[in-house]
PDB file of all heavy atoms in Angstrom:
ATOM      1  N   ILE A 324     -51.453 -47.290 -52.272  1.00 96.00           N
ATOM      2  CA  ILE A 324     -51.794 -45.938 -52.721  1.00 96.00           C
ATOM      3  C   ILE A 324     -53.198 -45.935 -53.323  1.00 96.00           C
ATOM      4  O   ILE A 324     -53.977 -44.998 -53.123  1.00 96.00           O
ATOM      5  CB  ILE A 324     -50.757 -45.433 -53.747  1.00 96.00           C
ATOM      6  CG1 ILE A 324     -49.434 -45.108 -53.050  1.00 96.00           C
ATOM      7  CG2 ILE A 324     -51.266 -44.189 -54.481  1.00 96.00           C
ATOM      8  CD1 ILE A 324     -48.313 -44.710 -53.983  1.00 96.00           C
ATOM      9  N   LYS A 325     -53.509 -47.016 -54.044  1.00 95.00           N
ATOM     10  CA  LYS A 325     -54.839 -47.125 -54.666  1.00 95.00           C
ATOM     11  C   LYS A 325     -55.893 -47.537 -53.645  1.00 95.00           C
ATOM     12  O   LYS A 325     -57.004 -46.974 -53.605  1.00 95.00           O
ATOM     13  CB  LYS A 325     -54.774 -48.169 -55.789  1.00 95.00           C
ATOM     14  CG  LYS A 325     -56.032 -48.296 -56.626  1.00 95.00           C
ATOM     15  CD  LYS A 325     -56.189 -47.137 -57.574  1.00 95.00           C
ATOM     16  CE  LYS A 325     -57.360 -47.369 -58.525  1.00 95.00           C
ATOM     17  NZ  LYS A 325     -57.558 -46.228 -59.444  1.00 95.00           N
ATOM     18  N   TYR A 326     -55.558 -48.508 -52.788  1.00 96.00           N
ATOM     19  CA  TYR A 326     -56.504 -49.012 -51.790  1.00 96.00           C
ATOM     20  C   TYR A 326     -55.804 -49.039 -50.429  1.00 96.00           C
ATOM     21  O   TYR A 326     -55.254 -50.075 -50.023  1.00 96.00           O
ATOM     22  CB  TYR A 326     -56.987 -50.410 -52.165  1.00 96.00           C
ATOM     23  CG  TYR A 326     -57.471 -50.533 -53.582  1.00 96.00           C
ATOM     24  CD1 TYR A 326     -56.739 -51.262 -54.522  1.00 96.00           C
ATOM     25  CD2 TYR A 326     -58.642 -49.913 -53.993  1.00 96.00           C
ATOM     26  CE1 TYR A 326     -57.168 -51.375 -55.826  1.00 96.00           C
ATOM     27  CE2 TYR A 326     -59.089 -50.016 -55.302  1.00 96.00           C
ATOM     28  CZ  TYR A 326     -58.345 -50.746 -56.213  1.00 96.00           C
ATOM     29  OH  TYR A 326     -58.774 -50.846 -57.516  1.00 96.00           O
ATOM     30  N   PRO A 327     -55.814 -47.940 -49.680  1.00 95.00           N
ATOM     31  CA  PRO A 327     -55.003 -47.826 -48.455  1.00 95.00           C
ATOM     32  C   PRO A 327     -55.605 -48.439 -47.189  1.00 95.00           C
ATOM     33  O   PRO A 327     -55.196 -48.073 -46.094  1.00 95.00           O
ATOM     34  CB  PRO A 327     -54.843 -46.312 -48.308  1.00 95.00           C
ATOM     35  CG  PRO A 327     -56.066 -45.751 -48.924  1.00 95.00           C
ATOM     36  CD  PRO A 327     -56.449 -46.664 -50.037  1.00 95.00           C
ATOM     37  N   CYS A 328     -56.539 -49.365 -47.307  1.00 94.00           N
ATOM     38  CA  CYS A 328     -57.040 -50.060 -46.119  1.00 94.00           C
ATOM     39  C   CYS A 328     -57.627 -51.400 -46.541  1.00 94.00           C
ATOM     40  O   CYS A 328     -57.915 -51.638 -47.721  1.00 94.00           O
ATOM     41  CB  CYS A 328     -58.075 -49.219 -45.380  1.00 94.00           C
ATOM     42  SG  CYS A 328     -59.640 -49.025 -46.238  1.00 94.00           S
ATOM     43  N   ALA A 329     -57.824 -52.304 -45.583  1.00 95.00           N
ATOM     44  CA  ALA A 329     -58.301 -53.659 -45.872  1.00 95.00           C
ATOM     45  C   ALA A 329     -59.702 -53.649 -46.463  1.00 95.00           C
ATOM     46  O   ALA A 329     -60.009 -54.432 -47.377  1.00 95.00           O
ATOM     47  CB  ALA A 329     -58.263 -54.493 -44.586  1.00 95.00           C
ATOM     48  N   ASP A 330     -60.588 -52.787 -45.972  1.00 94.00           N
ATOM     49  CA  ASP A 330     -61.967 -52.763 -46.466  1.00 94.00           C
ATOM     50  C   ASP A 330     -62.023 -52.408 -47.945  1.00 94.00           C
ATOM     51  O   ASP A 330     -62.826 -52.985 -48.699  1.00 94.00           O
ATOM     52  CB  ASP A 330     -62.790 -51.749 -45.662  1.00 94.00           C
ATOM     53  CG  ASP A 330     -63.083 -52.238 -44.250  1.00 94.00           C
ATOM     54  OD1 ASP A 330     -62.767 -53.413 -43.967  1.00 94.00           O
ATOM     55  OD2 ASP A 330     -63.595 -51.447 -43.437  1.00 94.00           O
ATOM     56  N   MET A 331     -61.194 -51.470 -48.387  1.00 95.00           N
ATOM     57  CA  MET A 331     -61.192 -51.065 -49.795  1.00 95.00           C
ATOM     58  C   MET A 331     -60.666 -52.205 -50.675  1.00 95.00           C
ATOM     59  O   MET A 331     -61.180 -52.434 -51.775  1.00 95.00           O
ATOM     60  CB  MET A 331     -60.337 -49.816 -49.984  1.00 95.00           C
ATOM     61  CG  MET A 331     -60.887 -48.579 -49.285  1.00 95.00           C
ATOM     62  SD  MET A 331     -59.840 -47.123 -49.498  1.00 95.00           S
ATOM     63  CE  MET A 331     -60.092 -46.790 -51.242  1.00 95.00           C
ATOM     64  N   ILE A 332     -59.642 -52.932 -50.193  1.00 95.00           N
ATOM     65  CA  ILE A 332     -59.111 -54.065 -50.952  1.00 95.00           C
ATOM     66  C   ILE A 332     -60.145 -55.182 -51.022  1.00 95.00           C
ATOM     67  O   ILE A 332     -60.306 -55.836 -52.070  1.00 95.00           O
ATOM     68  CB  ILE A 332     -57.812 -54.576 -50.308  1.00 95.00           C
ATOM     69  CG1 ILE A 332     -56.725 -53.501 -50.374  1.00 95.00           C
ATOM     70  CG2 ILE A 332     -57.330 -55.859 -50.985  1.00 95.00           C
ATOM     71  CD1 ILE A 332     -55.447 -53.857 -49.635  1.00 95.00           C
ATOM     72  N   ALA A 333     -60.867 -55.405 -49.931  1.00 95.00           N
ATOM     73  CA  ALA A 333     -61.871 -56.471 -49.883  1.00 95.00           C
ATOM     74  C   ALA A 333     -63.002 -56.236 -50.884  1.00 95.00           C
ATOM     75  O   ALA A 333     -63.573 -57.198 -51.422  1.00 95.00           O
ATOM     76  CB  ALA A 333     -62.437 -56.579 -48.470  1.00 95.00           C
ATOM     77  N   MET A 334     -63.314 -54.982 -51.182  1.00 94.00           N
ATOM     78  CA  MET A 334     -64.414 -54.667 -52.103  1.00 94.00           C
ATOM     79  C   MET A 334     -63.953 -54.503 -53.551  1.00 94.00           C
ATOM     80  O   MET A 334     -64.764 -54.239 -54.435  1.00 94.00           O
ATOM     81  CB  MET A 334     -65.105 -53.382 -51.638  1.00 94.00           C
ATOM     82  CG  MET A 334     -65.815 -53.518 -50.303  1.00 94.00           C
ATOM     83  SD  MET A 334     -66.745 -52.037 -49.854  1.00 94.00           S
ATOM     84  CE  MET A 334     -65.407 -50.862 -49.621  1.00 94.00           C
ATOM     85  N   THR A 335     -62.664 -54.648 -53.811  1.00 94.00           N
ATOM     86  CA  THR A 335     -62.131 -54.455 -55.157  1.00 94.00           C
ATOM     87  C   THR A 335     -62.379 -55.684 -56.030  1.00 94.00           C
ATOM     88  O   THR A 335     -62.264 -56.828 -55.571  1.00 94.00           O
ATOM     89  CB  THR A 335     -60.615 -54.175 -55.089  1.00 94.00           C
ATOM     90  OG1 THR A 335     -60.382 -53.045 -54.263  1.00 94.00           O
ATOM     91  CG2 THR A 335     -60.051 -53.888 -56.477  1.00 94.00           C
ATOM     92  N   HIS A 336     -62.699 -55.458 -57.310  1.00 95.00           N
ATOM     93  CA  HIS A 336     -62.906 -56.558 -58.256  1.00 95.00           C
ATOM     94  C   HIS A 336     -61.594 -57.307 -58.449  1.00 95.00           C
ATOM     95  O   HIS A 336     -60.517 -56.701 -58.535  1.00 95.00           O
ATOM     96  CB  HIS A 336     -63.407 -56.009 -59.597  1.00 95.00           C
ATOM     97  CG  HIS A 336     -63.959 -57.074 -60.502  1.00 95.00           C
ATOM     98  ND1 HIS A 336     -63.152 -57.878 -61.282  1.00 95.00           N
ATOM     99  CD2 HIS A 336     -65.247 -57.479 -60.736  1.00 95.00           C
ATOM    100  CE1 HIS A 336     -63.902 -58.724 -61.963  1.00 95.00           C
ATOM    101  NE2 HIS A 336     -65.183 -58.497 -61.646  1.00 95.00           N
ATOM    102  N   LEU A 337     -61.658 -58.621 -58.506  1.00 95.00           N
ATOM    103  CA  LEU A 337     -60.466 -59.457 -58.566  1.00 95.00           C
ATOM    104  C   LEU A 337     -59.625 -59.160 -59.806  1.00 95.00           C
ATOM    105  O   LEU A 337     -58.387 -59.126 -59.727  1.00 95.00           O
ATOM    106  CB  LEU A 337     -60.858 -60.937 -58.542  1.00 95.00           C
ATOM    107  CG  LEU A 337     -59.691 -61.933 -58.521  1.00 95.00           C
ATOM    108  CD1 LEU A 337     -58.797 -61.713 -57.306  1.00 95.00           C
ATOM    109  CD2 LEU A 337     -60.216 -63.374 -58.546  1.00 95.00           C
ATOM    110  N   THR A 338     -60.254 -58.946 -60.939  1.00 95.00           N
ATOM    111  CA  THR A 338     -59.507 -58.660 -62.173  1.00 95.00           C
ATOM    112  C   THR A 338     -58.724 -57.359 -62.052  1.00 95.00           C
ATOM    113  O   THR A 338     -57.555 -57.277 -62.454  1.00 95.00           O
ATOM    114  CB  THR A 338     -60.473 -58.568 -63.371  1.00 95.00           C
ATOM    115  OG1 THR A 338     -61.196 -59.796 -63.500  1.00 95.00           O
ATOM    116  CG2 THR A 338     -59.700 -58.302 -64.665  1.00 95.00           C
TER     117      THR A 338
END
Side-chain angles (χ1 to χ4, degrees):
I324 288 175
K325 186 75 173 179
Y326 310 110
C328 70
D330 288 352
M331 295 179 70
I332 296 174
M334 294 185 294
T335 303
H336 194 279
L337 183 59
T338 302

